[in-house]
Amino acid sequence: MKRRYFFAAICVVCTVALAAALFVSCLPMPDMPEFDAERNVDASRGETTFTVASYNVWSGGNTLENEYAIAAKLDDYGVDIAGLQEVDTDDFDRRGGGFTTALTSGSLVNKHFTPTETYAMGDKYGIMTTTSRAIADAQYAMLPYPYSYVSALMEPRMVQRTLVDVDGVRIAFYNTHLDYTGTQVDGRLLRELQAEFIFELMQSDPSPYKVLAGDFNISSFDDLAPFFDSDDYALFINPDNALATFSGDSSFRSIDNIIYTCKTLELTGGEVVETDLSDHYMVTASFKTLA
């Protein structure tokens, strides 16, 4: 009799779990605001210098102490604008919360956070741009996704554009985190389609100075073909400068990068900063605008 009740209880638990999984996997897609590539763009040119960074901060496996240290590291390298990935909001109770406050505890106090709308974490996890300069505009767009609903097996991916004023010059700073799963759509990697989407979005942007930072999760530079093959853009990390940006076990470790409009921005420096503050390394690049 006890065994019968035990199996009955197991069946109830499994049924509830399955129902919950099916419900979660069929959540509706989030409503996306319309992306206006011309909104608040200042196409005038000027001369200035600035430094940007791309950093996957590994919030799911990190500590609050490390997030404060990451903010300090950004300041140590004179970063004006940072594109951060895997960011938890302050009210996300994973590992105690408070991560957004920690990441903006240095000089990069102005922020633009975009949730990835994952099925489990909702609007508490995503990507964030931080800057010590004034933000003139902030918007985001959803990248290509293989389902018409939010799947429990894959999070939607976003790209955000933050218009940042640097000494009177407006910089269009893009930040993203592409798919890592190897999912294919019509015979092409999903992350290739996502990179192509961002390329077309940036091409429609009349801003003269454009920078894209991100964790691209690429398996080779071919995944970034639209940028790699374009005369308008250059990759800081490229086959001639294939620095490792990921400390984990991977056959290809140059997965983070900074991409920029090479006809309007002159690369004056940059490096990969190897620390144990995340499972990724911080990538920095410094630029001079070409008037």
Side-chain angles (χ1 to χ4, degrees):
M1 185 67 68
K2 290 182 180 180
R3 180 176 298 176
R4 183 185 307 163
Y5 286 137
F6 173 77
F7 284 126
I10 291 295
C11 289
V12 170
V13 170
C14 290
T15 300
V16 171
L18 177 60
L22 290 173
F23 171 76
V24 163
S25 66
C26 295
L27 288 176
M29 294 299 295
D31 291 330
M32 289 290 108
E34 183 177 354
F35 189 95
D36 182 357
E38 297 185 359
R39 193 176 80 184
N40 288 324
V41 166
D42 182 351
S44 60
R45 299 195 179 198
E47 294 184 359
T48 190
T49 60
F50 62 98
T51 297
V52 304
S54 182
Y55 207 167
N56 182 320
V57 299
W58 196 36
S59 288
N62 220 329
T63 65
L64 186 60
E65 180 182 16
N66 277 2
E67 303 293 86
Y68 276 105
I70 286 171
K73 186 68 66 176
L74 291 167
D75 281 350
D76 288 344
Y77 282 82
V79 174
D80 299 289
I81 313 169
L84 308 178
Q85 303 88 37
E86 295 195 21
V87 176
D88 288 351
T89 57
D90 276 348
D91 59 346
F92 193 2
D93 57 7
R94 177 165 63 176
R95 297 183 176 268
F99 278 16
T100 300
T101 292
L103 291 169
T104 55
S105 61
S107 66
L108 281 65
V109 296
N110 298 319
K111 65 182 183 294
H112 172 205
F113 176 81
T114 299
T116 59
E117 300 288 353
T118 64
Y119 76 98
M121 295 172 272
D123 59 359
K124 299 179 184 296
Y125 170 85
I127 56 178
M128 183 169 72
T129 294
T130 61
T131 178
S132 59
R133 308 305 182 102
I135 293 177
D137 189 70
Q139 56 183 316
Y140 63 96
M142 183 175 171
L143 301 182
Y145 188 71
Y147 308 113
S148 59
Y149 53 86
V150 178
S151 169
L153 304 177
M154 177 183 291
E155 66 182 271
R157 300 287 181 166
M158 308 291 171
V159 59
Q160 57 180 198
R161 187 193 72 176
T162 311
L163 297 181
V164 181
D165 287 339
V166 179
D167 302 327
V169 179
R170 189 156 294 180
I171 309 298
F173 185 83
Y174 288 76
N175 179 28
T176 195
H177 188 185
L178 302 189
D179 178 65
Y180 72 94
T181 65
T183 297
Q184 292 197 356
V185 178
D186 296 329
R188 297 182 61 193
L189 284 171
L190 179 59
R191 62 175 167 269
E192 289 182 4
L193 298 175
Q194 293 173 343
E196 188 174 275
F197 178 94
I198 297 172
F199 174 81
E200 293 173 353
L201 196 68
M202 293 177 69
Q203 286 293 82
S204 70
D205 184 341
S207 301
Y209 308 112
K210 291 175 278 194
V211 178
L212 168 63
D215 173 1
F216 297 98
N217 280 313
I218 57 176
S219 55
S220 77
F221 289 108
D222 290 341
D223 295 351
L224 298 175
F227 295 99
F228 195 77
D229 296 338
S230 172
D231 293 333
D232 295 327
Y233 297 91
L235 284 65
F236 173 60
I237 296 177
N238 54 65
D240 296 325
N241 184 41
L243 302 173
T245 68
F246 179 59
S247 64
D249 184 16
S250 176
S251 59
F252 188 84
R253 297 172 62 203
S254 300
I255 63 176
D256 306 87
N257 216 325
I258 294 171
I259 302 171
Y260 59 97
T261 48
C262 54
K263 294 178 180 178
T264 59
L265 291 170
E266 176 186 344
L267 179 70
T268 59
E271 61 185 297
V272 172
V273 182
E274 296 187 11
T275 74
D276 59 358
L277 298 176
S278 173
D279 59 343
H280 290 245
Y281 302 138
M282 181 173 75
V283 183
T284 71
S286 297
F287 299 101
K288 175 183 178 182
T289 57
L290 302 176

